[in-house]
Amino acid sequence: MFILVVNAGSSSLKYQLFDMDREEMIAKGLCERIGIDGKLTHTTVGKEKVKKDIPMPTHTEAVKVAVECLTDKEFGCISDMSQISAVGHRIVSGGPWLINSVQIDGPDGKVLEDLHKCFDLAPLHTKAHLQGIEGCMSIMPGVPQVLVMDTAFHQTMPAQAYTYPIDYETAQKYAIRRYGAHGTSHRYVSGKAIEYLGNKNAKIVTCHLGNGSSISAVDGGKCVDTSMGLTPLEGVIMGSRCGSIDPAIVPFVMERENIPADKMGDWMNKKCGFLGLSGVSSDLRDVREAAANGNERAKLALDILAYQIKKYIGAYAAAMNGLDCVVFTAGIGENDDEMRAAAMKDMEFYGIKLDAEKNKQRGCFEIHADDSRVKILVIPTNEELVIASDTLAIVTGKEI
Ligand code: ADP
């Protein structure tokens, strides 16, 4: 059975086709610059990468291009679109309305109505998701479409973790609470860690460190706290997002710099973090290079991330009354051994001890020292496989 996973962004659409009999991705692609000039990159596993300039005025054309690539005789992998049994869509925020993965029941159905309600919580993402869904429904009519929410895994948080101590009526009126993000990633890597530990009651801190970063506390397979909040802005320092700051900084800067609310959102999301602090780049590799060349602001940005990871681990160990395992994943977590080493330094108090040599080995799964009480794992994330698995479960009526 083939499942297509779609991740629609504002001007891009990423797709992966999974053969679920083998649980393997067999082709993937990226449609970029939708509505601009249109660029496509497609790779079928075992075949050469294809790059093309193709106009894609909307997400519907992007889906069409993706399906054409997948069914292409030369560089595709399936003979006909009808071989795609279902489509799973990555949804960044399901708010309080969309919790578990769910199949769209029709163009005017409740699921889409609920997705529209999420607009305020993640305007850019939700708009893109709706366009991606619309594109798939028009190009592949009759093929079941399933939504998999990035916020779902965090729905098990207790009220004390997800409630903001703000005026209750305002919070209720606008559904303001912690929803978290990267839920499919935290779910996937914590599941793998539980398998490895052979302990379904394990207390785990999962560190998803990428362009956007979030850290979660997972107790017995359930998320009990996470660093991202109402939006993916809260938490640790990120590529260009500030993470948690004193809320009073916001009106302070707005007043002095005469910045309106929407522009202030841009400032916090696009002009802060590694980029704003270092003045170099939002990409950790560039920041690391600058730091190595003596750029003090770049070094400070790196130190801040390592320090914040450490603080979250400490806080979550306290929240869970214990810690068995720390997991690193995503672009930085999987690849940057220096960040892992800095974050794990001086943590013997918690029973955390890194093996410096193992940590440096690429692709090493266990990086803790033999006498470390807490296990430290590097687990490559696979959000798309989670989406494909949920989609398959829903369309075949299995339990997730
Ligand atoms: P996104 O949140 O966009 O999915 P990724 O998970 O791909 O992001 O992570 C992007 C981050 O990972 C960037 O800061 C990048 O510098 C970092 N990264 C990717 N590869 C490496 C590497 N080999 N070494 C160090 N950092 C890396």
Side-chain angles (χ1 to χ4, degrees), residues 138-205:
S138 72
I139 301 294
M140 291 177 269
V143 176
Q145 312 280 326
V146 172
L147 308 188
V148 180
M149 274 57 71
D150 244 6
T151 42
F153 183 61
H154 305 303
Q155 286 289 324
T156 47
M157 285 187 288
Q160 63 194 23
Y162 72 68
T163 307
Y164 289 111
I166 58 171
D167 159 56
Y168 187 79
E169 280 72 32
T170 307
Q172 291 291 306
K173 188 170 168 192
Y174 299 109
I176 298 172
R177 50 159 283 181
R178 178 182 309 284
Y179 292 106
H182 300 136
T184 46
S185 177
H186 291 288
R187 180 175 135 200
Y188 178 78
V189 297
S190 59
K192 288 275 169 206
I194 286 170
E195 260 173 44
Y196 160 84
L197 296 165
N199 173 10
K200 61 181 177 17
N201 297 317
K203 297 173 191 295
I204 305 170
V205 173

Side-chain angles (χ1 to χ4, degrees), residues 210-212 282-285 330-332 335-336 362:
N211 230 331
S282 61
D283 192 298
L284 178 122
R285 287 164 289 195
I332 298 172
N335 297 299
D336 195 74
R362 275 197 81 77

Side-chain angles (χ1 to χ4, degrees), residues 110-124:
K110 187 176 168 305
V111 173
L112 281 183
E113 213 173 274
D114 284 343
L115 184 56
H116 274 98
K117 290 188 200 153
C118 303
F119 217 86
D120 265 1
L121 298 174
L124 295 179

Side-chain angles (χ1 to χ4, degrees), residues 6 8 51 67 122 139 190 202 216 220-221 242-243 245 249 254 262 285 290 305 364 376 382 385:
V6 169
K51 282 188 172 197
V67 170
I139 301 294
S190 59
S216 293
C242 56
I245 55 173
I249 294 171
M254 286 172 81
D262 60 332
R285 287 164 289 195
L305 178 58
C364 190
I376 313 170
N382 197 341
L385 178 61

Side-chain angles (χ1 to χ4, degrees), residues 196 326-328 333-334 336-337 339-341 344 352-370 372 374-379:
Y196 160 84
V326 174
V327 179
F328 287 98
E334 290 167 32
D336 195 74
D337 59 289
M339 184 54 66
R340 294 193 302 254
M344 298 288 88
I352 299 176
K353 226 166 126 187
L354 195 74
D355 182 314
E357 284 314 309
K358 283 187 186 163
N359 181 45
K360 281 191 198 136
Q361 282 166 28
R362 275 197 81 77
C364 190
F365 182 75
E366 303 170 31
I367 56 167
H368 46 266
D370 290 343
S372 181
V374 174
K375 310 292 178 225
I376 313 170
L377 307 177
V378 179
I379 305 182

